[in-house]
Amino acid sequence: MQNAAGPNFLADCPARLAVEILSDKWAALVLFGLNDAPRRHGELVKIVGGVSRKVLTETLRRLQSSGLVQRIEEPPRHVQYRLTDVGRELIGPIESLNTWASANAADIEAHREASWTE
Amino acid sequence: MQNAAGPNFLADCPARLAVEILSDKWAALVLFGLNDAPRRHGELVKIVGGVSRKVLTETLRRLQSSGLVQRIEEPPRHVQYRLTDVGRELIGPIESLNTWASANAADIEAHREASWTE
């Protein structure tokens, strides 16, 4: 997003960074899955539900590369994933999106159906 | 997202609906632009900053079709846009994403740059 506008303009919206991260289909679920405790890969597959091992690996890598998740190696061959502080601080905002969406999903769906049949 | 999993699984995540709406590049900015008062199309172009009239029209239509924004016609030829209750309730969650992103953008950027050069 461009940020050439002055202070009276809204063109710079930091929320886009969060939205970009959460646009990753499984990102929010993986963050929630790590909220209680560090988890091994296999545990996360079960907790998240519906994600393949390969896609979970890719999601974890992207969250690691943004510094939201940390990979902890404990030899021999014991690897866990845990939230960083930055990742943990995103749990609250995601919950507020969940609350909003749960309260309004039916209303939004009804509007969309009405607009399709106009 | 599939929801075939039981209650111990996270596979149903209502936040995805909010993320989908906010993935629309200008959606959050338009919602903020309508937060204080109903606005005419030309006012919104100025307030949002950097959006073309055509793209603003498309963004408004999508927000209308989801029931977040309402188009108010006052004859003759006076049209305004305002937030619905559903749209207004999304302002708080967006603000919490903004707060998180503003606080952590530099950290995230640093992690990403480090991961690119690994």
Side-chain angles (χ1 to χ4, degrees), chain A residues 14 17-18 20-21 62-68 84 86-87 90, chain B residues 100-116:
Chain A
L17 174 63
E20 177 219 312
I21 289 169
R62 282 190 290 268
L63 291 171
Q64 282 172 257
S65 75
S66 297
L68 276 69
T84 63
V86 173
L90 190 52
Chain B
W100 177 84
S102 300
N104 297 304
D107 187 272
I108 291 166
E109 189 59 31
H111 265 92
R112 288 178 174 185
E113 284 181 12
S115 76
W116 291 333

Side-chain angles (χ1 to χ4, degrees), chain B residues 3-76:
Chain B
N3 187 19
N8 293 327
F9 299 85
L10 296 172
D12 187 33
C13 180
R16 290 197 57 75
L17 174 62
V19 170
E20 177 219 311
I21 289 170
L22 296 177
S23 294
D24 191 341
K25 181 174 177 183
W26 297 96
L29 295 170
V30 170
L31 294 174
F32 273 117
L34 296 173
N35 194 28
D36 293 338
R39 302 281 185 193
R40 301 176 72 156
H41 190 281
E43 287 180 290
L44 267 177
V45 168
K46 288 179 193 162
I47 290 170
V48 169
V51 67
S52 70
R53 296 186 63 85
K54 176 166 174 278
V55 170
L56 176 59
T57 299
E58 291 164 356
T59 304
L60 284 166
R61 283 199 186 137
R62 282 190 289 266
L63 291 171
Q64 283 172 257
S65 76
S66 296
L68 276 68
V69 165
Q70 189 176 11
R71 186 175 188 273
I72 317 160
E73 291 190 41
E74 290 171 26

Side-chain angles (χ1 to χ4, degrees), chain A residues 5 10-12 14 20 33 35 42 45 51 53 61 69 73 76 83 95 101 106 109 116 118:
Chain A
L10 295 174
D12 188 34
E20 177 219 312
N35 194 29
V45 168
V51 69
R53 294 186 65 86
R61 284 198 186 138
V69 166
E73 291 190 43
L83 293 185
E95 284 176 333
E109 189 58 33
W116 292 333
E118 263 173 10

Side-chain angles (χ1 to χ4, degrees), chain A residues 41-114:
Chain A
H41 191 282
E43 286 179 291
L44 268 178
V45 168
K46 287 180 194 163
I47 291 170
V48 169
V51 69
S52 71
R53 294 186 65 86
K54 175 167 175 276
V55 169
L56 177 60
T57 298
E58 292 164 355
T59 304
L60 284 166
R61 284 198 186 138
R62 282 190 290 268
L63 291 171
Q64 282 172 257
S65 75
S66 297
L68 276 69
V69 166
Q70 190 177 10
R71 186 176 187 274
I72 318 160
E73 291 190 43
E74 291 171 26
R77 298 170 64 190
H78 186 90
V79 174
Q80 285 194 313
Y81 298 88
R82 72 170 168 210
L83 293 185
T84 63
D85 289 346
V86 173
R88 190 170 303 282
E89 286 167 19
L90 190 52
I91 296 288
I94 298 171
E95 284 176 333
S96 72
L97 293 176
N98 273 336
T99 302
W100 176 83
S102 299
N104 297 304
D107 187 273
I108 290 166
E109 189 58 33
H111 266 93
R112 288 177 173 185
E113 284 180 12

